């Protein structure tokens, strides 16, 4: 059964995603927002947004960031402004699948109102766990770049023990760092201890930061506050891996002279090929499951 997919906007990760989607048989792939791309994709159809026929599409792949509050999408390889209006979404067939990385208010509201199937890929455990690997590697890269001491023997506190925090803690421990992990649930604290790491209850973070060289936050909430930052030694480095605006009081860190960086989209920066393949694999699974082979 033939199918039509529109890939609208995207960044470097989408180059590998397109290569992977190309392997699907009986599939027509329309590219929108790739007009400045130097390399071509044989067999894919570059088209203008206004030439798309949404009613004929089986799936739409939006950028990682979805849309902004007015429906505009980010297109790294185009100067065009591409706006997905509610009317445009309304022209889609009700069976169409809409893929994005994360979904903000506009996209969630529009697709819910129109009873369309929206799939935020980064909400899925498999995607988040796979992506935690390049995130951890990117964090290691940033630490090496921004510090003048080795990771080995450094005192590291990882705030949060979710999918990213778990992988980051493991990777830094494997490099010989002295890793503590800050978490809230009793279950997580027990698992951290079982892994041979030091467990810190979240509400006691400020009691431990005085003996920390690296503070890595993964929680998208205001958790690395003034009380924790004021106890950090002057050479300490904060990396915040949480989604924008992060969970760190960056203003206070600046006042104290503590280097603090909000490191967003590390998988797309350090390993776009791997990240694109991860996304493509999950999208293909959905299309096959829905009978859109």
């Amino acid at each position: 059964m033939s199918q039509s997919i529109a890939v609208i906007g995207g960044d470097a990760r989408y180059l590998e995603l397109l290569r992977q989607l190309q392997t699907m048989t009986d599939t027509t792939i329309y590219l929108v927002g790739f007009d400045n791309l130097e390399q071509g994709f044989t067999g894919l159809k570059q088209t203008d947004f206004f030439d798309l026929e949404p009613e004929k599409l089986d799936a739409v792949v939006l950028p990682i960031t979805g849309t902004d509050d007015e429906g505009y999408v980010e297109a790294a390889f185009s100067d065009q402004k591409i706006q997905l209006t509610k009317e445009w979404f309304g022209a889609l067939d009700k069976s169409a699948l809409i893929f994005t990385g994360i979904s903000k208010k506009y996209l969630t509201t529009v697709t819910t109102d129109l009873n369309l199937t929206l799939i935020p890929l980064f909400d899925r455990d498999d995607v988040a766990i796979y992506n935690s690997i390049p995130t951890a590697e990117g964090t290691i890269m940033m630490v090496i770049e921004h510090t003048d001491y080795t990771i080995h023997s450094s005192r590291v506190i990882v705030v949060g023990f979710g999918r990213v925090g778990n992988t980051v803690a493991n990777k830094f421990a494997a490099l010989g760092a002295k890793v503590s992990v800050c978490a809230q649930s009793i279950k997580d604290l027990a698992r951290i201890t079982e892994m041979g790491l030091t467990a810190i209850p979240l509400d006691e973070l400020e009691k431990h930061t005085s003996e920390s060289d690296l503070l890595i936050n993964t929680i998208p909430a205001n958790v690395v506050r003034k009380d924790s930052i004021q106890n950090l030694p002057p050479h300490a480095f904060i990396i915040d891996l949480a989604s924008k605006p992060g969970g760190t009081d960056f203003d206070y860190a600046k006042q104290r002279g503590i280097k603090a960086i909000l490191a967003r989209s590390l998988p797309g920066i350090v390993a776009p090929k791997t990240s694109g393949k991860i996304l493509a694999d999950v999208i293909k699974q959905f299309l096959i499951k829905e009978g859109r082979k």
Side-chain angles (χ1 to χ4, degrees):
M1 178 175 160
S2 62
Q3 61 184 341
S4 296
I5 304 170
V7 180
I8 304 176
D11 56 20
R13 284 169 280 195
Y14 278 46
L15 303 183
E16 182 61 25
L17 181 146
L18 290 169
R19 293 187 191 98
Q20 296 294 325
L21 293 182
Q22 260 186 308
T23 64
M24 300 181 70
T25 57
D26 298 323
T27 302
T28 302
I29 300 175
Y30 297 95
L31 303 186
V32 176
F34 291 84
D35 40 288
N36 291 344
L37 190 64
E38 291 183 7
Q39 66 184 92
F41 283 92
T42 306
L44 307 189
K45 298 181 180 295
Q46 291 223 25
T47 186
D48 188 87
F49 174 68
F50 296 103
D51 292 331
L52 271 182
E53 298 177 279
E55 66 278 2
K56 296 182 179 179
L57 297 175
D58 297 291
V60 177
V61 181
L62 301 179
I64 296 297
T65 52
T67 70
D68 68 11
D69 292 338
E70 296 179 343
Y72 287 97
V73 302
E74 290 184 10
F77 301 105
S78 177
D79 299 322
Q80 293 182 47
K81 286 188 174 295
I82 303 169
Q83 184 182 30
L84 305 181
T85 63
K86 187 170 184 178
E87 290 72 26
W88 189 86
F89 280 110
L92 291 169
D93 189 276
K94 294 301 180 186
S95 66
L97 301 180
I98 303 168
F99 297 96
T100 184
I102 59 175
S103 180
K104 299 173 186 174
K105 185 177 179 181
Y106 173 85
L107 187 56
T108 301
T109 301
V110 168
T111 52
T112 300
D113 289 348
L114 295 171
N115 197 29
L116 293 169
T117 301
L118 177 66
I119 302 167
L121 295 168
F122 281 13
D123 285 354
R124 292 176 53 84
D125 281 338
D126 51 357
V127 173
I129 291 169
Y130 286 133
N131 261 319
S132 71
I133 299 168
T135 297
E137 291 185 4
T139 306
I140 292 166
M141 177 189 74
M142 293 191 70
V143 169
I144 293 170
E145 182 181 346
H146 290 279
T147 62
D148 57 3
Y149 45 86
T150 62
I151 291 173
H152 187 278
S153 296
S154 291
R155 300 163 299 177
V156 179
I157 296 178
V158 178
V159 183
F161 193 61
R163 297 165 298 197
V164 172
N166 191 320
T167 302
V168 168
N170 264 314
K171 299 300 182 189
F172 274 82
L175 290 173
K178 298 171 183 175
V179 179
S180 301
V181 184
C182 195
Q184 193 162 27
S185 80
I186 294 173
K187 176 183 174 184
D188 286 344
L189 293 170
R191 177 60 70 187
I192 292 161
T193 303
E194 181 273 330
M195 290 168 59
L197 308 178
T198 301
I200 301 173
L202 186 58
D203 58 4
E204 296 181 12
L205 174 60
E206 75 281 358
K207 298 178 183 178
H208 298 266
T209 53
S210 62
E211 297 185 1
S212 174
D213 303 304
L214 302 169
L215 183 59
I216 304 169
N217 178 55
T218 66
I219 300 177
N222 182 26
V223 289
V224 183
R225 298 184 291 268
K226 178 178 178 180
D227 56 356
S228 298
I229 296 171
Q230 67 185 0
N231 294 329
L232 285 168
H235 69 270
F237 178 39
I238 301 172
I239 302 182
D240 200 315
L241 303 177
S243 55
K244 192 176 180 181
T248 299
D249 187 338
F250 289 99
D251 289 337
Y252 183 70
K254 186 176 181 180
Q255 287 178 31
R256 263 223 60 202
I258 299 290
K259 187 181 292 185
I261 295 177
L262 178 61
R264 299 176 58 213
S265 303
L266 282 179
I269 296 170
V270 302
K273 182 172 183 176
T274 299
S275 301
K277 186 177 186 306
I278 290 167
L279 297 173
D281 286 346
V282 177
I283 289 171
K284 288 195 289 186
Q285 288 173 23
F286 267 99
L287 295 174
I288 292 170
K289 183 178 179 182
E290 294 294 321
R292 298 177 171 91
K293 298 182 181 180

